[in-house]
Amino acid sequence: MSNQNQIPKKKKKSNNFLVQGTILAAAGILVRIIGMVYRIPMQNKIGNEAMGIYSSAYYIYNIMLLLSSYSLPLAVSKMVSARVALGQHKNAYRIFQSSLIFSLISGGAACLITFFGADFFATVVLSEPAAAYSIRVLAPTIFVMAFLGTLRGYFQGMGTMIPTAVSQVLEQIVNAGISILAAFLLFDMGAARDVREGTDFYASAYGAAGGTVGTAAGALTALGFCIFLYVLFRRVLKKQMRRDNTVMLESYGNIARVLIATIIPVIISGTVYNISNLVDNSIYGFYMTSAGEAEHYMANWGVYSGQYYLLINVPIAIANSLASSMLPSLTRTVTAGEKGEVLRKVNVTIRFSMIVAIPSAVGLTVLGYPIVDMLFSQDTRLGGDLLFLGSLAVIFFSLSTVTNGILQGINKMKVPVRNALIALILHVGILIALLYGLKTGIYGVVIANMLFGLTMCILNGISIANYLNYRQEVKKTFVLPALASIIMGAAAYLVYYLLRLLTKKPSLACLAAIVVAVAVYFVMLIVFRCVTEKELLSVPMGGKAVTIAKKLHLM
C-alpha cells in the first residue's frame, strides 16, 4: 500500500517542472503578445525611425541589465534549489540575503553608468545621438530590475514559477498602457518643438523616449507585487527554517564567492549571446553611413526590430520559459544523482520546445506578409520580406536557448560562454562579408542572425552529447513536427488565399488562416503520435486537449 502511494507522488514530482514550465511559457507568450500589441499603435504613431531609436536604446539597456543583474534569477534559483534539495532552508535564505546586497551594488553601479554615459552610448556605439534621451529614461529601471530579479530567482529556486509568471504579466500590462500614452504625448511635444525650431529631430527622439517610460513603471509594479508575496510567504519561510537542522551554515563570504562564481559565467554567456543585436546595430549603422545612406539607417532598423524581431520573439518566449523553469529542477536532479531523470528532462524539454518552434517558423514564413500587413501601417513589404527570409531563426534561437539552460543546469556554466563567443566571432565575420562584400543590406543582418543561432545549436548539441553521453531522439522531436507543420502551412495558406479572394478582406482571411493553422497542427500532432495522452495530461489545460482529441476520435 505504501509503495502504491509513493509511485504517483514521485511521478507527480518528476513532471512538475513541465507544469511549471508551461505556466511560465503561457505567461511568456502573454507578455510577448501584450508587448507586440502595444508596440503596433506606438510604431504606427511615432514611425519606423523613432522605433529604430527606441529599439537601439533598448539594446544598450539590455546589455547593462545583463552585466549587472539579468543573470540573478538564474543564479539565485540554481543556488537556492540546490540547498532546498538538501533541506537546507537556512542556507537558501542566506543566499537570498547575499543576493539582495549584490543587487544593490551591481544595479546601482549599472544605473549610474548608463545614465551618465547615455551620450557616449548613443553617439559612439549606436551612431544615433537621439537615442540618449531613451537611454537616460531606461537607466533607473536597471536598479529596480536587480531587486526584482533576486526575488524572482528566490521563488523559482523554492520550486514555484507562479510569482515570476504573474509579475511578468503585471509588469507588461502597466508597461503597455503607460508606454503608449507617454509615446503619443511626447511625440506630439517633440513634433511641436520641431515646428518651432525648424528641425526634424525632436519628434522621433521624444517619441522613442516616451515609449521607454512604461518600462520603469512596469518594473516597479512587478517589484511591489513580488515584495507583497514575499511578505505573505515569510510565515512559511520561518517555519521551514525552524525545522531545518542544518549544523554547518554557509558563511556570507563563501556564499558571495559562490554567487559571483555562478553569476560571472552566466553574465558572460548571456552578454555574448545577446550582444549580437547591439553588434548588428553598430555594424549596420557604420555600413549605412559609409554607403551614404544614413537617412535610411534608423527606418530600416525600425522595421527589423519593430516588426521582424518582435514577431519571431513571441514563440521564442516559450523556449526561454522552459529553460528558466527547467534549470532549478534539473539542478535538483543533478544534485540527487538521478542520471536517468536528467536525461528524461533534457529530452522532454527539447522536444516540447521544437513542437512549438517548428510550426511557428513555418507559420511566420507562410503568413508573414499578411500578418505584417494586418498589424502595421508603415513599410509592411520590407517586414514581410524579412519574415519570409528569416523565420527559421525561431527554431535556432529556441533550441539554443533551451540547450544553454541545460548546460547551466548540469553545472557546465563555462561551456555556453565558449560556444557563444565562437558563434559571435563567426557571426561578425559573416555579417561584415554580407554587408560590405555582397551588399545585402538589412537582409544580411537577418541571415547573419540566423546563422548565429544555428552555430549555437550545433555547438551546444555537441557539448550536451559529450557531457551527458546523450543523443536526442530525432523522429518525434524534429521529423514529425516538421511534417505536421508543412501540412499546417499548406492548409493555412490555402485558407488565406481563398478567403482573400472571396471576401476581399486580407485581415479577416489572415485571422481565419491562423485559427485553421492551430487546429490542423493540433490534429496532425495527435495523428502522427508526436505527443501521447500521458504527456498532454502533464501540462496545464492538457486534460481539455485530451477530451477534444477523444471527441474527434483521434485518441
Side-chain angles (χ1 to χ4, degrees):
M1 185 71 178
S2 61
N3 289 339
Q4 288 177 344
N5 290 334
Q6 289 174 357
I7 293 171
K9 184 176 179 181
K10 185 175 181 180
K11 188 184 294 182
K12 183 178 179 182
K13 186 176 179 181
S14 67
N15 285 331
N16 184 58
F17 87 99
L18 192 56
V19 175
Q20 296 288 337
T22 308
I23 292 170
L24 201 56
I29 295 169
L30 183 56
V31 164
R32 289 300 195 282
I33 290 173
I34 295 170
M36 181 178 67
V37 168
Y38 90 79
R39 289 191 190 190
I40 292 166
M42 196 168 82
Q43 179 156 358
N44 291 337
K45 168 70 175 180
I46 68 178
N48 289 331
E49 183 177 347
M51 206 65 191
I53 295 170
Y54 168 88
S55 300
S56 299
Y58 254 96
Y59 295 146
I60 299 296
Y61 164 75
N62 284 333
I63 294 301
M64 296 307 294
L65 197 63
L66 279 163
L67 291 172
S68 61
S69 60
Y70 191 79
S71 57
L72 276 172
L74 187 149
V76 173
S77 68
K78 180 178 173 61
M79 292 176 66
V80 168
S81 63
R83 273 64 176 183
V84 169
L86 300 173
Q88 298 178 2
H89 292 281
K90 290 179 182 176
N91 282 332
Y93 185 66
R94 284 183 162 227
I95 289 169
F96 173 62
Q97 290 176 313
S98 300
S99 301
L100 287 176
I101 297 171
F102 183 89
S103 301
L104 176 66
I105 298 169
S106 64
C111 170
L112 293 173
I113 291 170
T114 305
F115 186 85
F116 291 106
D119 289 320
F120 169 80
F121 291 130
T123 306
V124 177
V125 179
L126 298 175
S127 303
E128 181 50 70
Y133 293 93
S134 300
I135 294 171
R136 283 198 182 91
V137 173
L138 285 167
T141 313
I142 298 171
F143 188 64
V144 176
M145 289 298 294
F147 290 98
L148 179 58
T150 295
L151 281 163
R152 284 173 171 169
Y154 185 58
F155 284 124
Q156 289 172 19
M158 297 299 288
T160 175
M161 302 293 159
I162 294 175
T164 297
V166 176
S167 67
Q168 284 178 346
V169 174
L170 284 174
E171 177 185 355
Q172 192 70 315
I173 290 171
V174 173
N175 181 8
I178 293 180
S179 291
I180 292 173
L181 180 62
F184 276 50
L185 291 174
L186 288 177
F187 180 80
D188 289 339
M189 287 173 58
R193 183 173 178 181
D194 280 333
V195 171
R196 288 195 308 269
E197 300 183 12
T199 61
D200 60 353
F201 175 84
Y202 293 104
S204 295
Y206 284 13
T212 62
V213 171
T215 307
L220 279 170
T221 303
L223 179 61
F225 174 75
C226 285
I227 290 173
F228 172 72
L229 287 185
Y230 173 74
V231 171
L232 294 180
F233 178 66
R234 274 188 63 83
R235 182 181 297 177
V236 176
L237 179 63
K238 288 179 179 179
K239 187 181 293 185
Q240 289 175 338
M241 288 194 289
R242 281 197 299 269
R243 293 175 179 173
D244 181 3
N245 296 319
T246 303
V247 177
M248 294 293 292
L249 294 179
E250 296 181 60
S251 69
Y252 288 107
N254 182 64
I255 289 172
R257 285 191 293 271
V258 175
L259 182 65
I260 292 170
T262 305
I263 284 174
I264 287 176
V266 179
I267 286 175
I268 298 173
S269 174
T271 302
V272 174
Y273 186 69
N274 289 278
I275 204 173
S276 61
N277 282 323
L278 180 59
V279 171
D280 291 351
N281 195 340
S282 298
I283 293 175
Y284 181 66
F286 288 131
Y287 166 74
M288 292 293 281
T289 302
S290 66
E293 298 185 50
E295 68 274 13
H296 300 301
Y297 161 43
M298 271 301 153
N300 287 349
W301 196 262
V303 174
Y304 170 80
S305 58
Q307 295 181 17
Y308 165 74
Y309 211 75
L310 178 68
L311 289 170
I312 68 167
N313 265 293
V314 174
I316 292 174
I318 298 174
N320 285 324
S321 302
L322 283 172
S324 297
S325 64
M326 175 195 62
L327 193 136
S329 173
L330 194 59
T331 299
R332 284 193 291 270
T333 308
V334 170
T335 303
E338 301 173 5
K339 186 176 180 181
E341 183 65 8
V342 168
L343 297 179
R344 188 192 74 83
K345 287 181 178 179
V346 170
N347 176 275
V348 170
T349 306
I350 292 176
R351 190 153 64 85
F352 267 73
S353 70
M354 289 300 96
I355 284 174
V356 174
I358 293 173
S360 299
V362 172
L364 287 173
T365 302
V366 172
L367 297 176
Y369 288 104
I371 288 173
V372 171
D373 192 52
M374 177 178 66
L375 297 177
F376 302 99
S377 62
Q378 299 186 15
D379 205 353
T380 57
R381 183 67 193 179
L382 177 58
D385 287 344
L386 298 182
L387 270 178
F388 183 78
L389 175 66
S391 293
L392 281 177
V394 172
I395 298 173
F396 300 148
F397 279 99
S398 295
L399 185 55
S400 62
T401 298
V402 166
T403 50
N404 270 351
I406 291 168
L407 288 166
Q408 290 161 352
I410 62 172
N411 298 318
K412 301 299 178 182
M413 306 294 290
K414 296 179 182 178
V415 176
V417 178
R418 180 197 66 201
N419 293 345
L421 188 59
I422 294 170
L424 181 63
I425 293 170
L426 291 173
H427 168 78
V428 170
I430 291 168
L431 179 59
I432 291 173
L434 288 170
L435 290 177
Y436 289 92
L438 299 179
K439 312 293 183 185
T440 52
I442 195 67
Y443 299 102
V445 178
V446 172
I447 295 168
N449 186 57
M450 280 197 301
L451 293 176
F452 174 80
L454 176 60
T455 306
M456 282 294 298
C457 290
I458 294 170
L459 294 176
N460 283 354
I462 293 171
S463 300
I464 291 171
N466 290 338
Y467 289 119
L468 292 178
N469 193 25
Y470 174 79
R471 295 293 181 272
Q472 181 66 36
E473 182 277 332
V474 173
K475 184 179 178 182
K476 291 177 71 175
T477 304
F478 300 105
V479 177
L480 293 180
L483 183 58
S485 299
I486 291 169
I487 296 171
M488 174 209 76
Y493 184 77
L494 182 63
V495 169
Y496 171 75
Y497 181 76
L498 293 175
L499 280 180
R500 190 186 63 178
L501 286 178
L502 293 172
T503 65
K504 308 298 182 185
K505 295 180 179 179
S507 295
L508 178 64
C510 182
L511 288 171
I514 292 171
V515 172
V516 169
V518 172
V520 170
Y521 184 66
F522 173 72
V523 171
M524 290 298 102
L525 276 184
I526 306 300
V527 170
F528 291 151
R529 302 291 185 264
C530 293
V531 290
T532 64
E533 180 177 343
K534 179 182 174 182
E535 288 169 340
L536 276 177
L537 290 172
S538 70
V539 299
M541 305 297 290
K544 290 185 178 180
V546 169
T547 301
I548 293 170
K550 287 185 175 180
K551 285 183 178 179
L552 295 173
H553 303 291
L554 298 173
M555 278 186 170

